[in-house]
Amino acid sequence: MKITKAEISIISLPMHTPFETGFGKISHKDEIIVALFTEDGMVGYGESATLSHPVYNHETTESCWLALKNSILPQVVGKDFDTVESFVASYANIVGNTAARAGAECAFWHLLAQKQNTSLKALFGGVQSNIMVGEGVGITNSTEELLGTVESYLQDGFRRIKVKIKPGWDHEPLAAIREHWPDIKLMADGNSQYSLADHAQTLISLEKYDLEMIEQPLASTDFVDHATLQSQTATPVCLDESIENLNDARTAIALGSCKVINIKIGRVGGVLEAMHIHDYAKEHGVTVWSGGMLETGVGRAFSLALASKPAFVHAADLSPYQMYFTDDITAPGLQLQKDGYIAVPDSPGLGFDIDAAKMKQYTTRHHCIEP
Ligand code: OSB
Ligand code: MG
């Protein structure tokens, strides 16, 4: 498939509810959508999930924009590719910038799916038809507010509650939830806000809430202390920010830093790398699940298809756009079934239609890359 042109657009979807984490409040979300055009008239879409500031990882929407515009897409346009491997090889000189690389790669997967008239699920080797979905509760102003939010999520059908925690807001929310709902699947996400030196006892004593896992309590580069923590607590440790590629997963597994890995396509630089991590984790008895970055329906479509691979056994962060945004650029968008699962499309291509009018309506910046 010859790539004749690439386009990048910043989509600013209105958010009705901010999402507060240990690293700060997300109340505005700009997403970069990559479009690749082929000689025979196809368009493939991908998404680069970033935040405005480098508070979760090193990337920002602006750094991602520059990496796509100046470094990645100029190496892709005007060339002919038959496989994803040859596509990513064309910009293999680019290090880091995982969300930027993932957006380009996803757009190529979308082209492949159209060309082969098959689903992303089939291309990725998916085996599950329905994915269990959970929802995250951000840091709230009070326990009452937290309990009200959890109550509504459980009524919506979400099958697992993830609580954002930080030093000073951990035992209180988890104890309150456990008191009201002793049996629900519950987990906590520390977003790198703790250190073992200062918080070992606080973290270990979270055991009493019977958490499905504790996600990324310590710094992203701290494989050693995560391993120490995992050896001292019965709660499975899950790594998110720490895992940017297969080598990080190998390091974590060799050291015993985690029993679970949160896989996000943007954080690991694309679906190929995500599949390598999935396969390696599966071989080594580590389970995985599909995390999210409050993507649009485009990014969610790729995560949903990937989550149908066999080692994805925990509830996914794949809530429908209505939880945070007033609108989306796909139609109909993810549908949460009453049982708390989302069906993985078997239809060819993305499995969701992109609404061109909405794309246009929410585009705040646009750039074209031609040979
Ligand atoms: O740590 O998983 C995280 C959103 C932005 C940055 C980091 C994280 C998150 C979420 C959102 O938890 C989950 C979702 O997309 O539904
Ligand atoms: Mg996380």
Side-chain angles (χ1 to χ4, degrees):
M1 286 181 288
K2 181 153 184 205
I3 311 295
T4 50
K5 185 178 75 163
E7 280 180 12
I8 43 178
S9 307
I10 292 188
I11 307 290
S12 304
L13 288 176
M15 262 183 108
H16 58 70
T17 306
F19 189 61
E20 186 164 345
T21 74
F23 56 69
K25 198 183 272 191
I26 304 170
S27 42
H28 177 88
K29 198 98 174 39
D30 285 339
E31 288 290 290
I32 298 177
I33 299 292
V34 180
L36 295 176
F37 296 76
T38 66
E39 206 166 35
D40 46 358
M42 290 189 302
V43 192
Y45 290 95
E47 176 163 347
S48 290
T50 55
L51 302 183
S52 307
H53 299 282
V55 285
Y56 163 75
N57 61 8
H58 62 280
E59 259 172 314
T60 67
T61 313
E62 292 299 330
S63 72
C64 181
W65 177 267
L66 292 178
L68 281 163
K69 174 174 168 279
N70 297 336
S71 309
I72 296 171
L73 296 174
Q75 304 199 73
V76 159
V77 291
K79 293 193 192 133
D80 210 326
F81 306 102
D82 287 327
T83 61
V84 180
E85 287 78 3
S86 65
F87 180 80
V88 302
S90 72
Y91 55 88
N93 59 334
I94 304 304
V95 300
N97 294 284
T98 53
R101 288 191 279 125
E105 192 194 298
C106 283
F108 189 80
W109 281 106
H110 185 206
L111 286 177
L112 261 190
Q114 294 170 71
K115 173 113 182 160
Q116 297 178 16
N117 197 33
T118 190
S119 64
L120 292 178
K121 178 186 166 192
L123 277 185
F124 298 167
V127 295
Q128 308 187 62
S129 309
N130 294 285
I131 304 303
M132 194 198 293
V133 177
E135 183 54 298
V137 199
I139 292 165
T140 54
N141 291 320
S142 67
T143 308
E144 293 69 53
E145 187 187 338
L146 173 92
L147 294 175
T149 305
V150 171
E151 169 100 66
S152 77
Y153 290 172
L154 294 173
Q155 267 165 19
D156 289 339
F158 291 107
R159 298 287 289 252
R160 174 273 285 145
I161 298 294
K162 160 166 145 178
V163 183
K164 292 289 190 182
I165 59 169
K166 64 177 182 184
W169 179 255
D170 37 42
H171 281 266
E172 187 185 328
L174 292 168
I177 293 175
R178 263 298 173 241
E179 198 181 306
H180 282 73
W181 297 281
D183 300 322
I184 59 168
K185 278 199 177 78
L186 182 64
M187 61 175 283
D189 186 356
N191 281 116
S192 309
Q193 299 302 304
Y194 293 82
S195 75
L196 203 56
D198 293 341
H199 308 107
Q201 265 325 303
T202 303
L203 293 170
I204 292 166
S205 58
L206 296 177
E207 271 177 8
K208 58 174 172 274
Y209 308 116
D210 188 23
L211 302 181
E212 186 182 12
M213 66 189 88
I214 177 164
E215 183 177 347
Q216 196 72 42
L218 311 176
S220 61
T221 51
D222 205 344
F223 291 94
V224 173
D225 282 357
H226 274 111
T228 305
L229 175 64
Q230 183 65 93
S231 73
Q232 293 176 356
T233 179
T235 308
V237 173
C238 166
L239 291 179
D240 174 356
E241 285 91 321
S242 291
I243 309 297
E244 297 195 339
N245 49 54
L246 175 62
N247 276 336
D248 290 335
R250 291 174 60 221
T251 303
I253 293 172
L255 291 175
S257 312
C258 67
K259 290 182 179 160
V260 185
I261 295 175
N262 166 332
I263 295 186
K264 296 180 187 172
I265 295 168
R267 201 196 60 232
V268 305
V271 174
L272 273 185
E273 196 73 9
M275 294 203 288
H276 291 144
I277 294 169
H278 164 276
D279 294 351
Y280 190 83
K282 188 165 182 290
E283 261 170 49
H284 291 81
V286 165
T287 55
V288 307
W289 58 285
S290 173
M293 289 278 286
L294 304 175
E295 298 88 352
T296 76
V298 174
R300 295 286 216 213
F302 288 92
S303 302
L304 178 64
L306 185 70
S308 66
K309 290 184 72 69
F312 284 83
V313 297
H314 308 281
D317 274 347
L318 273 173
S319 53
Y321 76 84
Q322 289 90 340
M323 299 306 291
Y324 297 100
F325 300 101
T326 54
D327 207 353
D328 188 36
I329 53 172
T330 62
L334 302 183
Q335 306 283 326
L336 186 72
Q337 298 157 191
K338 282 200 182 60
D339 60 1
Y341 283 74
I342 291 182
V344 186
D346 286 310
S347 45
L350 204 60
F352 300 90
D353 289 331
I354 293 178
D355 186 325
K358 289 204 167 148
M359 270 280 287
K360 207 166 158 209
Q361 180 185 350
Y362 296 116
T363 294
T364 53
R365 198 192 302 172
H366 185 76
H367 182 78
C368 203
I369 299 106
E370 275 165 313

